[in-house]
Amino acid sequence: HVPSRRTRVPMSMAGKQEKQGSEAESALFRWIENHGGYVNPSLSVVPEAPCGARGVVATTFIAAEEPLFVVPEHLYITNQDSVRLLGPLFQSSSRVPNIESLAPSLQLAVLLAKERKKGTASRWYPYIHALPETPPNVWFDRARDAAAVTDMCVSGFGFTGEQASVLSGEIERTNQELDAFHFLIDQHLSNLGLTIEDIRWAYGTVTSRAFGNDGGYVGLAPGIDMMNHRNDAGQPFPIRSKTPIWAALSVQLDANALPTIDPKRTPSPLDGTWPCACVIAEKGGEAVDLQAGQEAMISYVAEMKPTKAMLNFGFVPEPDEQ
């Protein structure tokens, strides 16, 4: 039994309060709410949360079971969007593979980079504009000395010499593969207009923030992906909200553009019209209060080796978190 499953979105979504934090983050929160979502008015994004990194904190008391974020799935940006929007362009050149053959994370990264280039013309602009300029991936900064990185992993994260060697190889492989991919599209899909810096930023953002499933679905959930990891925190869970039809379709190219929803993730009974991801404050499976100044966190439930975690997230979960 998970108490959070009983949570309902407040009916007074229209009564919005201005969020603290930067204008980009305030604009993101308004965008989520204007398209049928909800952001708790007591939340603020700060450059240095209690965990030591940029994160989401409570500015006033938030009671247990009270939603922190409710994000409609029609605001996600996914690899399925990338296949639909960029697939014809990739098919136009016989010298590049079909986009469906790329890794799902790279599919999504290409679309994210392309949409970022559009600036305010992108329908995801409020989300993309609020993303950090520097992803946390350990491979992202090419000016960073590789030996210093592996030494830090040994001294700070308890890596063995073998693990440090594997990480060093993974950093080199990632950089080489991104260089090769950019060379390919720069030569044969130059109308994409993407630089290597664009590709690196987008791939780093996707691999450090996106969620996915075993079916090859990868997506970015605006707002929710600002929350940092804690082992005993909760995870986003599905609900249905009463999102107005105009709010959903105003960010879509057409009515068929909604992401494919996995029926197994749909709760019953349904609460409303549109599938959403909801987050509340949890600890050890129980809903908890958030005091003013406390950080709102989720569990990434990332089952991966320490080298892979460092490569993607820039940190390594504690042993009982893997």
Side-chain angles (χ1 to χ4, degrees):
H1 176 66
V2 181
S4 59
R5 304 285 175 177
R6 301 194 304 270
T7 299
R8 294 293 180 267
V9 182
M11 297 303 293
S12 58
M13 279 188 181
K16 304 176 181 64
Q17 300 180 31
E18 187 63 29
K19 312 298 184 300
Q20 300 182 27
S22 76
E23 176 53 35
E25 288 136 3
S26 296
L28 169 62
F29 289 173
R30 289 194 299 269
W31 178 71
I32 291 172
E33 293 180 320
N34 287 341
H35 292 93
Y38 173 78
V39 181
N40 194 297
S42 293
L43 294 181
S44 175
V45 180
V46 297
E48 188 170 342
C51 75
R54 178 179 186 251
V56 180
V57 300
T59 59
T60 60
F61 174 80
I62 299 176
E65 300 278 357
E66 188 175 341
L68 304 178
F69 285 97
V70 177
V71 179
E73 291 193 3
H74 57 255
L75 294 185
Y76 293 1
I77 178 170
T78 75
N79 67 312
Q80 294 175 349
D81 293 316
S82 184
V83 170
R84 176 172 51 83
L85 295 173
L86 298 180
L89 179 61
F90 274 74
Q91 289 176 348
S92 69
S93 173
S94 61
R95 296 179 178 270
V96 298
N98 288 340
I99 196 167
E100 292 90 343
S101 67
L102 302 179
S105 55
L106 189 55
Q107 294 172 0
L108 178 52
V110 175
L111 178 61
L112 181 62
K114 181 66 174 176
E115 292 295 319
R116 190 188 190 208
K117 283 286 193 183
K118 291 181 180 179
T120 56
S122 171
R123 55 196 169 113
W124 290 288
Y125 172 74
Y127 168 62
I128 295 172
H129 184 56
L131 289 169
E133 291 291 324
T134 305
N137 316 74
V138 75
W139 53 262
F140 182 75
D141 184 1
R142 285 192 127 154
R144 199 175 183 185
D145 181 66
V149 171
T150 53
D151 288 347
M152 176 267 294
C153 290
V154 171
S155 60
F157 292 95
F159 275 35
T160 65
E162 181 180 357
Q163 287 175 321
S165 177
V166 169
L167 178 62
S168 179
E170 286 293 300
I171 292 173
E172 182 178 1
R173 180 190 60 79
T174 300
N175 286 323
Q176 289 177 347
E177 290 184 355
L178 291 178
D179 285 343
F181 176 71
H182 176 259
F183 179 81
L184 185 67
I185 62 172
D186 189 49
Q187 292 292 306
H188 305 298
L189 286 179
S190 58
N191 50 344
L192 268 176
L194 300 179
T195 66
I196 182 60
E197 289 77 16
D198 295 328
I199 293 294
R200 289 177 62 80
W201 174 84
Y203 188 72
T205 298
V206 168
T207 53
S208 62
R209 304 174 78 89
F211 62 91
N213 62 29
D214 294 336
Y217 176 92
V218 177
L220 292 161
I224 292 175
D225 66 357
M226 289 181 167
M227 303 174 74
N228 290 312
H229 169 82
R230 194 185 73 237
N231 183 38
D232 61 354
Q235 303 162 29
F237 59 89
I239 66 169
R240 293 269 180 158
S241 75
K242 300 182 185 300
T243 303
I245 185 71
W246 63 264
L249 298 186
S250 66
V251 294
Q252 299 299 324
L253 296 180
D254 56 59
N256 296 318
L258 294 176
T260 300
I261 306 304
D262 182 352
K264 292 181 292 186
R265 297 178 56 232
T266 303
S268 182
L270 301 183
D271 304 308
T273 306
W274 295 104
C276 298
C278 181
V279 177
I280 66 170
E282 292 185 83
K283 184 173 184 178
E286 297 293 331
V288 295
D289 299 334
L290 270 185
Q291 305 297 327
Q294 278 190 295
E295 185 170 2
M297 307 180 85
I298 57 175
S299 173
Y300 295 172
V301 291
E303 296 182 4
M304 59 179 63
K305 296 179 179 179
T307 51
K308 194 70 172 178
M310 180 61 72
L311 197 72
N312 288 347
F313 302 141
F315 72 90
V316 179
E318 293 297 322
D320 64 345
E321 292 178 325
Q322 297 174 32

